[in-house]
């Protein structure tokens, strides 16, 4: 069973009655499109629960929702079913991220916004029991909810079209991480592998990105801004490599986008004009995987943390045949497994990596054909 | 709280020197930054999770060791006015072996 999780009360509060009704229609279209692909789904309204399974309604808080999803998983098992995936409908203003305490001391993050808390019954679980994705909306000044409607309709269309074949890939990395990136580029068979510098936003040939089916970015991100940076070998050499306006100028229908940038998936209070994650989704991408907080990686092999997760995710994508959500869960498990085999224990930064990487998009979408 | 022993202090000082050397070589932009130190805290695993990952053997054989994490942090201001934190975390054990050295993205 695949659950779509929504709060009509919160949607109405954030976007108003008219947009809330459009969201409801778009959810119905998505459920129909999933059904046509044989994906069994049902809507869980947070305040109402699932009365036929004796799952009671709750308030819209991360703690209550995590508890409710755990009860739903158990209730489904009681009737011989299992929870395969959860799709959260709306951004932080509608369904809040869990704000976990930051596991890594002294790096400036107070908490780690995450959806990992919604992926298992136990609060301390590191391994997901089911996949979780989120279709976010626009937030902040000027937000009108139309991005959420668009992304729901987009997900339905992607189900109707069926699995794609990756024909065009795009990779973009800071020059200083070229060694670590090379191994990941190998897993993705990147055709257009760019380094920044020499490439910067002003010199980026957008035709390389336009129409890409798979996009991988290993660039720096910042907490208080929407752009990603390249870095030279020398101190302080940060150059703007990618901006939302660059992405908003291309088409990315059905693309799988993975970013390792710090705060690359931090979308609270933002829209597609000031978030690259939302810009990628607004231009048609099927999913965006990125970090909501400070992310980490090594300068050289062996790969670890965000690099290792990205490597495994692209390998899972390459295998094909699964859903985006299942690939994300499998990549996280593979990252944990490799880390334990390499260093015999998990560090705070490994735990942070598992927490902070989120999947935006419908987790039940079929991956590219193998 | 127990006072750190002389041997612990000696190993900490030695480990810090190793971490500073790593930073000089791999993250020169952080050379000269005084690190914060914390102890590596191993994760707790449920038997079910370990089994699911296929790492029961690794966890069963892992002896507890003391390892230090040295965090080197500085912030830059980009020309666009954004705050660019630069963090390196170097994990070193009491035998001065570098377990790993990573940086912020």
């Amino acid at each position: 069973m695949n659950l779509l999780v929504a709060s009509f009360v919160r949607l109405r509060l954030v976007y108003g009655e008219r947009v809330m009704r459009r969201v409801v229609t778009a959810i119905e279209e998505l459920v129909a499109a999933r059904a046509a692909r044989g994906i069994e789904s049902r809507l869980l309204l947070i305040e109402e629960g699932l009365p036929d399974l004796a799952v009671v309604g709750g308030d819209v808080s991360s703690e209550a929702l995590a508890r409710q999803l755990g009860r739903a998983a158990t209730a489904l098992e009681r009737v011989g079913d299992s929870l395969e995936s959860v799709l959260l409908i709306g951004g932080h203003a509608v369904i809040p991220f869990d704000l976990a305490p930051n596991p890594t001391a002294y790096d400036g993050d107070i908490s780690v916004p995450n959806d990992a808390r919604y992926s298992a019954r136990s609060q301390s679980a590191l391994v997901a029991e089911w996949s979780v994705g989120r279709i976010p909306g626009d937030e902040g000044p000027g937000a009108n909810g139309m991005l959420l409607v668009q992304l729901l309709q987009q997900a339905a269309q992607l189900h109707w079209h069926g699995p794609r074949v990756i024909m065009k890939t795009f990779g973009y990395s800071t020059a200083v991480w070229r060694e670590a990136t090379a191994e990941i580029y190998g897993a993705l068979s990147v055709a257009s592998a760019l380094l920044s510098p020499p490439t910067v936003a002003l010199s980026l040939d957008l035709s390389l990105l336009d129409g890409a089916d798979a996009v991988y970015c290993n660039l720096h991100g910042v907490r208080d801004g929407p752009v990603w940076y390249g870095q030279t070998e020398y101190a302080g050499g940060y150059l703007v490599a990618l901006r939302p306006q660059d992405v908003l100028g291309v088409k990315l229908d059905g693309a799988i986008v993975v970013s390792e940038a710090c705060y690359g998936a931090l979308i609270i209070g933002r829209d597609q004009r000031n978030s690259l994650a939302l810009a990628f989704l607004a231009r048609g991408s099927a999913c965006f995987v990125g970090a909501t907080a400070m992310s980490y990686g090594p300068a050289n092999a062996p790969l670890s943390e965000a690099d290792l997760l990205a490597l495994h995710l692209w390998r899972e994508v390459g295998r094909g045949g699964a859903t985006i959500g299942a690939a994300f869960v499998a990549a996280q498990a593979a990252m944990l497994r490799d880390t334990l085999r390499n260093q015999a224990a998990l560090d705070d930064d490994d735990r942070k990596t598992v927490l902070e990487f989120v999947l935006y998009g419908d987790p039940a979408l079929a991956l590219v054909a193998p | 709280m127990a006072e750190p022993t002389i041997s612990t202090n000696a190993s900490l000082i030695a480990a810090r020197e190793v971490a500073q050397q790593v930073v000089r070589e791999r993250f020169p932009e952080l050379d000269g930054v005084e690190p914060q130190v914390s102890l590596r805290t191993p994760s707790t695993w449920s038997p079910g999770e370990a089994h699911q990952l296929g790492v029961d053997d690794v966890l069963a054989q892992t002896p507890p060791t003391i390892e230090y994490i040295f965090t080197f942090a500085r912030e830059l201001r980009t020309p666009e006015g954004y705050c660019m934190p630069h963090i390196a975390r170097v994990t070193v054990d009491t035998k001065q072996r570098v377990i790993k050295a990573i940086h912020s993205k």
Side-chain angles (χ1 to χ4, degrees):
Chain A
M1 177 59 66
N2 300 272
L3 294 179
L4 298 94
V5 178
S7 166
F8 291 168
V9 175
R10 297 287 305 170
L11 283 166
R12 187 182 290 113
L13 196 68
V14 174
Y15 296 124
E17 180 73 21
R18 191 180 60 83
V19 172
M20 189 275 283
R21 290 194 178 283
R22 293 193 64 174
V23 170
V24 172
T25 303
I27 291 172
E28 287 165 356
E29 289 168 5
L30 177 54
V31 170
R34 281 176 162 205
R37 287 268 154 209
I39 302 164
E40 199 183 358
S41 307
R42 64 180 294 185
L43 181 62
L44 164 62
L45 291 175
I46 295 172
E47 294 87 350
E48 296 179 16
L50 298 169
D52 59 310
L53 291 172
V55 177
V56 297
D59 60 334
V60 185
S61 68
S62 60
E63 197 178 323
L65 177 57
R67 207 165 38 238
Q68 191 178 46
L69 289 169
R71 286 177 183 151
T74 302
L76 286 166
E77 284 169 0
R78 259 198 314 269
V79 297
D81 202 345
S82 64
L83 182 52
E84 297 291 322
S85 75
V86 167
L87 171 58
L88 308 169
I89 296 171
H92 183 67
V94 179
I95 298 179
F97 291 103
D98 176 57
L99 301 176
N102 179 20
T104 51
Y106 311 120
D107 73 0
D109 286 335
I110 294 163
S111 62
V112 181
N114 73 91
D115 288 334
R117 181 67 190 91
Y118 304 131
S119 69
R121 275 168 272 221
S122 166
Q123 189 173 2
S124 60
L126 286 164
V127 184
E129 291 185 71
W130 51 84
S131 62
V132 177
R134 177 188 287 269
I135 294 189
D138 42 348
E139 293 178 4
N144 58 15
M146 295 318 293
L147 181 63
L148 176 56
V149 174
Q150 179 202 323
L151 297 184
L152 286 165
Q153 291 171 337
Q154 212 165 272
Q157 284 303 312
L158 289 165
H159 278 292
W160 288 117
H161 288 151
R164 305 159 57 90
V165 175
I166 290 183
M167 303 291 288
K168 182 174 179 179
T169 56
F170 175 86
Y172 199 9
S173 170
T174 68
V176 77
W177 301 333
R178 66 169 67 81
E179 275 184 44
T181 302
E183 194 173 342
I184 302 165
Y185 278 168
L188 181 58
S189 304
V190 170
S192 307
L194 301 176
L195 292 175
S196 179
T199 304
V200 294
L202 290 173
S203 65
L204 174 61
D205 177 359
L206 289 174
S207 70
L208 298 173
L209 176 61
D210 192 34
D213 303 297
V215 176
Y216 168 61
C217 294
N218 192 8
L219 298 162
H220 278 290
V222 292
R223 188 190 291 118
D224 55 348
V227 299
W228 293 342
Y229 287 87
Q231 184 189 356
T232 63
E233 304 279 359
Y234 307 102
Y238 296 103
L239 301 159
V240 175
L242 195 65
R243 308 162 296 180
Q245 61 260 43
D246 302 320
V247 174
L248 291 173
V250 300
K251 279 189 158 189
L252 292 161
D253 295 345
I256 296 166
V257 182
V258 178
S259 165
E260 292 190 43
C262 288
Y263 311 104
L266 186 60
I267 56 169
I268 298 172
R270 297 190 186 186
D271 61 31
Q272 61 269 43
R273 289 162 302 180
N274 53 26
S275 157
L276 271 160
L278 295 177
F280 274 111
L281 292 168
R283 296 311 297 154
S285 300
C287 69
F288 179 95
V289 173
T292 59
M294 182 165 290
S295 57
Y296 293 95
N300 312 97
L303 300 187
S304 61
E305 293 85 22
D307 288 338
L308 191 55
L309 180 63
L311 175 72
H312 281 296
L313 188 50
W314 287 121
R315 283 181 178 166
E316 292 296 328
V317 169
R319 274 189 202 107
T323 63
I324 288 170
F328 183 54
V329 168
Q332 284 183 316
M335 175 233 152
L336 289 171
R337 191 180 304 119
D338 282 4
T339 302
L340 282 165
R341 294 222 175 271
N342 286 341
Q343 60 190 43
L346 289 187
D347 283 336
D348 304 337
D349 35 74
D350 303 313
R351 285 200 294 276
K352 185 169 186 175
T353 303
V354 172
L355 266 181
E356 70 187 333
F357 272 83
V358 290
L359 167 65
Y360 296 146
D362 185 349
L365 268 174
L367 268 178
V368 288
Chain B
M1 185 183 291
E3 288 288 317
T5 63
I6 290 172
S7 62
T8 303
N9 276 337
S11 75
L12 174 58
I13 290 164
R16 187 172 67 180
E17 283 171 6
V18 169
Q20 286 171 322
Q21 182 60 32
V22 168
V23 162
R24 266 192 294 278
E25 289 167 4
R26 299 192 204 174
F27 314 112
E29 60 274 31
L30 288 167
D31 190 16
V33 172
E34 270 302 305
Q36 302 277 359
V37 64
S38 52
L39 284 176
R40 188 194 214 189
T41 48
S43 292
T44 51
W45 292 83
S46 72
E49 281 188 310
H51 185 69
Q52 194 180 337
L53 289 174
V55 292
D56 320 48
D57 55 331
V58 176
L59 297 178
Q61 292 165 15
T62 305
T65 55
I66 296 173
E67 289 160 357
Y68 305 106
I69 300 174
F70 297 94
T71 304
F72 300 76
R74 80 188 311 181
E75 283 187 352
L76 300 172
R77 188 65 62 177
T78 70
E80 295 71 37
Y82 303 126
C83 173
M84 171 72 75
H86 197 130
I87 312 278
R89 287 167 60 88
V90 183
T91 307
V92 183
D93 70 10
T94 51
K95 294 176 181 168
Q96 289 96 56
R97 290 178 300 203
V98 178
I99 308 301
K100 70 176 175 182
I102 58 171
H103 55 77
S104 54
K105 293 282 185 181

